[in-house]
Structures are given as structure tokens and as C-alpha cells.
Amino acid sequence: MHHPGPPRFLSTGETTQLAPRDPDPEATYEWRIVDAPPNSEATVGETPITEFTPDVPGHYRLGLNAPDGNHALTVRAFPAAYENVDVAAGSGEAIRDRDADRAEIPYAGDRAHDGIGRPRVRLDASVEGDAIVVDAMATPNPDSELAAEDLDVTFVIDDRDVSSAIAAGRTNPRDARQVTASGSETAIETDGSGTTLRVPTRTVPDRLRVHAVAVAREPGHEPRISVADAVAVDRVGSEGSAGDASAPIDVDPIGDTDSTGRSDPTGRADSPGGTGATSPDERFTVTRLNQPPEWTENARVYEVYVRTFADADEGETFDAIADRIPDLADLGVDTLWLTPVLTNDGKPHGYNITDFFDVADDLGDREDYEALVDTAHDHGLRVLFDFVANHTARDHEWFQDAYRNPDSPYRDRYEWQDSGEPGTYFDWELIANLNHSNLSVRRFLLDVVDEWAPLVDGFRCDMAWAVPDSFWRELRDRVKAMDSEFLLMDETIPYIPGFHEGMFDIHFDATLYFQLRQIGRGAAPARTVVDAVEQRAEIGFPDHAGFLQYIENHDETRYRVECGDAAAAAAGAATVTLPGVPMVYAGQEIGQRGRRDSIAWEHTRGEVRERYERLLRTHADHPALGPEGDLERVGYHVASGDLSERPIQADGDAVHPDDVVAFLRGSGPNALAVVLNFAPAEAAVAVDADHGRTNVVTGEPCVVTDGDGTERIAVDDVAVVPIGE
């Protein structure tokens, strides 16, 4: 089906890319504006993949004429902060501008946000009698003075499901949702803590998808809209969950109201609109579409830089990696991220790909790769494929034909500079950026997805910030239709909240990475790790978004080289005890100092390996340390001979209060107190919580009493102590 996908929630002046799905490069596609607010002069281009920028607030209906019929796409535009900002590919963030200025942006330092950040929203659905009930829980931004009941919620029912309902002879759910079984005039109810949408079950086709945003109207500010959330309700036994299997219809105008009943400023208003779970009603199942896979709630990732991980002869690398799988399972990780394994231009990192459909000969053959994946699965490890969608190598056959050849059939498949050189980023001279506005490129990349996704458990998506979001939205629907628990993880640095809207499950937390480096260098106090985590909500990530937490990877200097062994021990513990998905980069667990050097397995530092085994076992045994566990600040006091302020010295012998942080994880009987110490010397920390006496990481007593009779937690690098024990 060529439908362009889910509805879009935009700010005026924000650009989104429009593209037919599952495209045929030989087919004809035409876009048009079917309905728009009064005074709008917005247009769509004449190319199959084009862009749309709403110019006034309100409700837009865009039409796509495709080989399989006419399709409609709803765009809801809000007056807000992105006017006069040229944003490529529709992220709503200036970071996505495809220009050389991006090189000046520091690696994920604190991200300033203009004024008060976005609110957040979560959708849940259930079946109550003869109605589908969708509950929206809207939450103000942490910096906002608004209460939850001050927020509005805008629902949009997915255009694809409206088409399916009408094609099946059912009532348009956008119309039927205005009348409940009791005959009330509206199906939208506000109860002070959330907003509820009711849709009669008789109108529901095989699949009903509801999307929504929370809207915060701060006094004196333009409205702020949340990252959209979405929920799907599927009839049991239907094919509705398998992607976009809905019939196209001619587009038709509609009229709606928002959750407060107020009129839309344009005279129109908003149309009402993870992890799968069967509802109490056996006729339907419910899926939270933006919820990360359930298995990631306690996942522990291990990155393998494939060409230096194991000492292997030419063509035997996959076998050598497979031989080390039992050792990785014993370490305590359960997810394997392999850097690119495809045929490339010979650079060891593998990101300059020349053949997207075959593995690199120096690593082994296709059967060897599949055997490696099978071995990982046999030992309880999932495998992530490093998916490169932004570029090819210059050695790729397309580029070789297109370079300096205006008549090449591949010429339009790349971006080109005025100089005649291909588009690229930074000083990367051996790659060429693909033109994602080309149907053949889109078709090619989707074929690559179909080739590799069935073999693995997820994609780590390289340079996700450089690829238009319309592609990622289609990729998500495509792979989730194959496997609802398939993981999508983006490398977007700094992270962007909008990338959790129908695109990615887990995001690289380079902000936490950067802050841990600052602490290790002595440039920031240890307590700022909590600030880094809280920033996720402050800039608008929903509470259900996942984050990959790391202190090093194949692109960065080893943490211990820059910050010392003591800080490295505490920083590694931070990634395991803060809310997120911890990652270990190959060699980190044995004290490796070279970034991409061959792993010196014969020089393993046993104490470092044992420390990571204990940490990862603790993470596995205590779900409160996972992404779902609450993070709460707690009062604490650090015993030190000198409590006066001084610069932190990561390699000093004394403990300063700024070397230490304490916080609480989880709630109720499973709650834990965590203390991290970045200094080389042991710290004694009084924590303002009723805690036990055993450090569950070591299994040994950790409480001492000072001269004043105060009980303190003694901590070398990390102590995790049960609360209320």
C-alpha cells in the first residue's frame, strides 16, 4: 500500500517530508492539498517525494494519488516556535539542518531549550462494552507551572483506518466517535487527570490506530506540543496488525473539535483520533505503538567492533566471534551489537558500504554470519544489525557510474554540491550521501531492510539524524509488522525527542555520556548525572522512551584513558544503575585502553572483569535498576576531611563531596539506594533513607558508624543497598 503513513503534528513553519510507502520507482504519484485552514497559502511539490510546511495553524488534509488509488493524510498544525526556521526532513529541530555548521555542535553537551519545554502524553486503550476507550495521560513539562488538568489533548484517528472502515462498509469512526451508546453528544470526556476518547466497536475495522499530542498553553508563550503517542486496537484474527493492509479511498473533508470543546482558531479543529497486550475483551488486542520492546526493560548491550574483537584469519572472524559468545553470556550481557558486517571499501570500521546485500569476505560468508546469529540466540543473546541508510561508499557501483557523469542513471540517487563533489558530512571523503527524495533510493533501502531484518532482533541505525523521518516511520511499521518486538535504536547526537514519535525505541544518550566525562575530568560534580537523566523529560521525551547508556564506544577514547581507573569504575556503574539500557563496549570489561585496537584478551584485568560481572548480575536481578524503575533524588552527606569547595581531582587520593552522588531507584519493597564514588579513596556517605546494610553488588556489609553515631554507606566505586531492609 502506498499510503504515506500516520498523521503528522507540526508547528507552523516546520517542514515534513511526504513520501509514498513501498514505492514503485516506475509509477506515478501526485500530491495535492484537499483541505486547509482559511488564509493558508501552503503548497506541496510536484515530485513523488516532496515536502510540506504548514503556514497557519489548523487542520490540513493532503491527498496522494497513487497506483492503488487515492490516499489521505491528516496534518495538524499548531502556532509555535519554529517559524522561519528551515528544518530539513521535518524533525522540528535545527540540529537536522543538513549543512556544514553541524560540525560545530559539541558532542551532546547540555542542550539548551527555548523557554519551557514540551509536555508529555501517554495513550492506553481498553474495551468497555461496545466502545473502544482510549485514555490520554498528559503530563506538564517539569519546568512548567501548569497542572495536568490545564493541558489539552488532540486526538487523530489514523487516515488508513478511516479508509479501511469505509471500504468495509462501516461508519466512519471519526463521525461515530461523536455519539456513545448512551446517546451523549460527545465521546470525548475530560476527568481532570487525562482525556478519554470513545469509539464504538461497530465502527472499528480490522485495525484502529489513534494518535494524540498534549498541548500546553503557557501564559505569554506559543502553544507547546508533546511528542505524539499512539495506540492500536486490532480485531483478534484479523490481518490489521500486519502493516498498512487497508484499502484506499477518495479523500473527504471532515469537521472536528478538540478535547476542551473550544473552537479551532481556523474554524476547524482536530480530528479525534510497543508492547502488545490482549485486552479483557477477547475480540481485540491492544498495542502501544511507541513502547520499546518489553525485553529491553532489562536488556544489557555489548558492542563488538568486528575486525578487532577476535584474533582471526581472513574469512574466519564470524566464527571467532561465535567462539566468544559463551564468555559474553557469562559476563551478563544479553544483546550483541555488531558494527557493520557488509561488503565495504576496506576501511576497518565497515561503514563505507559497497554491497548492501552481502557480508564482507574478510569476515566470512553469509552462512557464517547466520551461524553466528544462531549461536548468540542459543546462548540467550539477541543480535543488532548496524543499518547504514545515509550513504554509500564512493566505491559503490552506483557512485562509480554517477561521478562526473550527468547522464548516469544513478546520478539522481546522490546529493551533489555545486563543486561537482557528492554531499557528505564533516571531513568524510570516502562516502557519498544518498538522495532520499529519489524513489529508487527509497525502494533500494527498503529492500535492504527486508534482506536483513528477518535474521536479527533489531537495528542500530547509523547517523539517524541525517535520514528523513518519513523513511524511519516507514521502516518502523515495516519491521514491527514482521516482529512487534524488533528493536530500533538511533544514533542521533544530541538526541531529539521527536525521534520517539513513530520512529525509534531507544536513543543514544550522549548527554549522559558527556556528563560522565565531565565528572571524570573534574569539570562537574557527580550529582549532575541526575541532572542529565532529568533533562530527558525537560526537553520533551515521553516517559516510555528508552536510552542507551555508555561511557565509551568505537568512536570515543576509552574512559579510563581520559579519566582514570577510579572514575571509570564509577562511570561504568552509573550506566548500570541509572534508568536506561546499559552498554559495554568490547574491551571495557577487561581494562582495554586502545579504542579500536585488537582486544588484549591475554592481558585481561581480572578485577575489572569481575566488577562488570557483579554489576550486570545486579542489573539482571533487580528490575528497579532498569528503564522502568523510578529515579528519585535523595539527601546525602559525604564524610571528608575538608568540605570546602575545590576543583575535583579525578586522580587525587582524597574524597570531596563533589566526587559522590546518591539517588534512589524503584519504589515500594523493591526500592534501592545507589551511591557512586568517582574518587580513588573510599567514601563514607550518610543517605537520608531507611536502608539496609548490604551492598547487593558485592554481597558484603557496607554500613559503618562514624564518631557521631551516624550510619554511613562505605563505598569504593558503587554501593546498591535495599531500602527499608
Side-chain angles (χ1 to χ4, degrees), residues 82-97:
Y82 303 114
E83 294 189 35
N84 301 318
V85 176
D86 181 17
V87 180
S91 70
E93 301 281 348
I95 193 67
R96 294 288 302 282
D97 285 345

Side-chain angles (χ1 to χ4, degrees), residues 74 500 567 702:
T74 296
H500 202 79
C702 63

Side-chain angles (χ1 to χ4, degrees), residues 301-303 337 548-550 552-553 581-585 588:
V301 177
Y302 189 91
E303 182 196 356
W337 158 26
L548 186 75
Q549 301 181 157
Y550 57 96
E552 56 197 44
N553 59 39
V581 176
M583 187 193 87
V584 176
Y585 175 44
Q588 178 181 332

Side-chain angles (χ1 to χ4, degrees), residues 328-342:
L328 296 181
D330 290 343
L331 176 65
V333 296
D334 61 9
T335 306
L336 199 62
W337 158 26
L338 302 174
T339 54
V341 299
L342 301 183

Side-chain angles (χ1 to χ4, degrees), residues 302-312 316-329 336-341 362-364 368-369 371-373 375-376 379 381 383 586 601:
Y302 189 91
E303 182 196 356
V304 171
Y305 188 74
V306 293
R307 287 179 173 80
T308 58
F309 179 74
D311 184 14
E316 297 181 1
T317 298
F318 289 139
D319 291 341
I321 295 174
D323 288 343
R324 288 202 170 270
I325 293 292
D327 186 58
L328 296 181
L336 199 62
W337 158 26
L338 302 174
T339 54
V341 299
D362 65 310
L363 302 178
D368 297 331
Y369 174 67
L372 166 59
V373 174
T375 300
H379 286 81
L381 275 69
V383 178
W601 299 111

Side-chain angles (χ1 to χ4, degrees), residues 341-565:
V341 299
L342 301 183
T343 305
N344 57 78
D345 64 356
K347 292 296 181 182
H349 52 71
Y351 286 94
N352 304 346
I353 297 173
T354 57
D355 185 348
F356 285 75
F357 294 93
D358 199 6
V359 299
D361 290 341
D362 65 310
L363 302 178
D365 59 25
R366 174 72 172 254
E367 290 184 358
D368 297 331
Y369 174 67
E370 293 184 11
L372 166 59
V373 174
D374 288 342
T375 300
H377 288 167
D378 290 344
H379 286 81
L381 275 69
R382 292 177 170 86
V383 178
L384 303 183
F385 179 90
D386 209 325
F387 178 62
V388 179
N390 174 69
H391 56 265
T392 74
R394 292 200 185 194
D395 288 347
H396 192 280
E397 61 179 356
W398 288 0
F399 185 82
Q400 291 294 303
D401 190 276
Y403 187 53
R404 301 194 186 282
N405 179 12
D407 297 326
S408 169
Y410 305 112
R411 182 76 180 181
D412 290 342
R413 299 187 186 186
Y414 291 97
E415 296 177 351
W416 298 98
Q417 304 178 53
D418 292 341
S419 65
E421 293 300 308
T424 187
Y425 291 103
F426 315 113
D427 58 351
W428 299 338
E429 297 180 348
L430 299 179
I431 65 170
N433 287 351
L434 289 165
N435 174 15
H436 295 94
S437 295
N438 182 286
L439 286 179
S440 295
V441 168
R442 193 64 154 251
R443 177 74 270 157
F444 173 81
L445 291 174
L446 292 174
D447 290 344
V448 174
V449 170
D450 292 346
E451 181 74 18
W452 299 108
L455 299 180
V456 295
D457 306 285
F459 285 169
R460 178 267 188 188
C461 296
D462 182 61
M463 293 178 66
W465 52 268
V467 177
D469 54 1
S470 67
F471 176 76
W472 294 130
R473 293 177 197 274
E474 180 173 7
L475 181 149
R476 183 182 183 86
D477 279 355
R478 199 174 189 91
V479 298
K480 295 290 185 177
M482 300 177 192
D483 176 6
S484 63
E485 290 288 280
F486 195 91
L487 173 64
L488 290 172
M489 181 167 66
D490 69 325
E491 183 206 26
T492 299
I493 301 173
Y495 47 34
I496 296 173
F499 274 39
H500 202 79
E501 184 175 308
M503 289 182 271
F504 297 99
D505 300 305
I506 292 178
H507 315 274
F508 269 47
D509 194 346
T511 297
L512 178 61
Y513 161 89
F514 176 82
Q515 204 58 36
L516 287 169
R517 289 278 171 141
Q518 291 292 86
I519 295 166
R521 295 179 184 122
R527 64 177 178 274
T528 59
V529 296
V530 180
D531 300 334
V533 173
E534 290 180 344
Q535 183 178 306
R536 300 167 182 172
E538 291 168 1
I539 69 170
F541 274 104
D543 292 338
H544 49 269
F547 296 88
L548 186 75
Q549 301 181 157
Y550 57 96
I551 61 172
E552 56 197 44
N553 59 39
H554 66 274
D555 286 326
E556 305 303 325
T557 304
R558 295 281 185 178
Y559 190 99
R560 67 182 61 255
V561 170
E562 189 169 337
C563 304
D565 283 352

Side-chain angles (χ1 to χ4, degrees), residues 89-369:
S91 70
E93 301 281 348
I95 193 67
R96 294 288 302 282
D97 285 345
R98 301 167 70 95
D99 58 46
D101 290 343
R102 185 183 150 71
E104 301 303 317
I105 299 172
Y107 186 98
D110 284 343
R111 295 193 61 199
H113 47 272
D114 179 23
I116 298 170
R118 297 179 173 193
R120 289 162 288 153
V121 71
R122 175 191 168 101
L123 295 189
D124 291 283
S126 60
V127 183
E128 297 181 6
D130 59 358
I132 303 296
V133 180
V134 181
D135 290 309
M137 186 58 63
T139 307
N141 187 276
D143 294 332
S144 174
E145 295 183 0
L146 297 178
E149 55 265 29
D150 297 326
L151 303 179
D152 303 331
V153 173
T154 294
F155 291 97
V156 175
I157 292 178
D158 201 296
D159 299 277
R160 293 166 289 182
D161 303 329
V162 172
S163 298
S164 292
I166 295 174
R170 299 180 183 275
T171 302
N172 183 336
R174 285 181 174 160
D175 297 332
R177 63 103 174 95
Q178 296 179 348
V179 180
T180 65
S182 62
S184 62
E185 290 300 318
T186 179
I188 302 176
E189 303 169 354
T190 302
D191 62 11
S193 61
T195 301
T196 299
L197 172 72
R198 294 178 182 270
V199 180
T201 56
R202 60 182 170 78
T203 72
V204 176
D206 286 348
R207 160 163 274 205
L208 179 74
R209 283 161 286 196
V210 179
H211 309 259
V213 293
V215 184
R217 292 178 169 87
E218 306 279 349
H221 295 275
E222 298 280 14
R224 295 279 181 170
I225 62 173
S226 70
V227 171
D229 199 18
V231 64
V233 179
D234 292 287
R235 288 188 180 273
V236 172
S238 75
E239 298 296 326
S241 62
D244 295 337
S246 54
I249 61 167
D250 288 335
V251 294
D252 61 310
I254 61 171
D256 297 301
T257 57
D258 68 9
S259 65
T260 64
R262 70 163 57 90
S263 298
D264 186 271
T266 67
R268 306 181 190 280
D270 315 326
S271 42
T275 297
T278 301
S279 70
D281 189 304
E282 295 181 355
R283 296 170 294 168
F284 299 93
T285 59
V286 173
T287 305
R288 286 187 24 76
L289 293 176
N290 295 329
Q291 187 75 26
E294 185 175 3
W295 60 267
T296 63
E297 293 178 7
N298 204 27
R300 295 166 298 282
V301 177
Y302 189 91
E303 182 196 356
V304 171
Y305 188 74
V306 293
R307 287 179 173 80
T308 58
F309 179 74
D311 184 14
D313 294 333
E314 182 86 4
E316 297 181 1
T317 298
F318 289 139
D319 291 341
I321 295 174
D323 288 343
R324 288 202 170 270
I325 293 292
D327 186 58
L328 296 181
D330 290 343
L331 176 65
V333 296
D334 61 9
T335 306
L336 199 62
W337 158 26
L338 302 174
T339 54
V341 299
L342 301 183
T343 305
N344 57 78
D345 64 356
K347 292 296 181 182
H349 52 71
Y351 286 94
N352 304 346
I353 297 173
T354 57
D355 185 348
F356 285 75
F357 294 93
D358 199 6
V359 299
D361 290 341
D362 65 310
L363 302 178
D365 59 25
R366 174 72 172 254
E367 290 184 358
D368 297 331
Y369 174 67

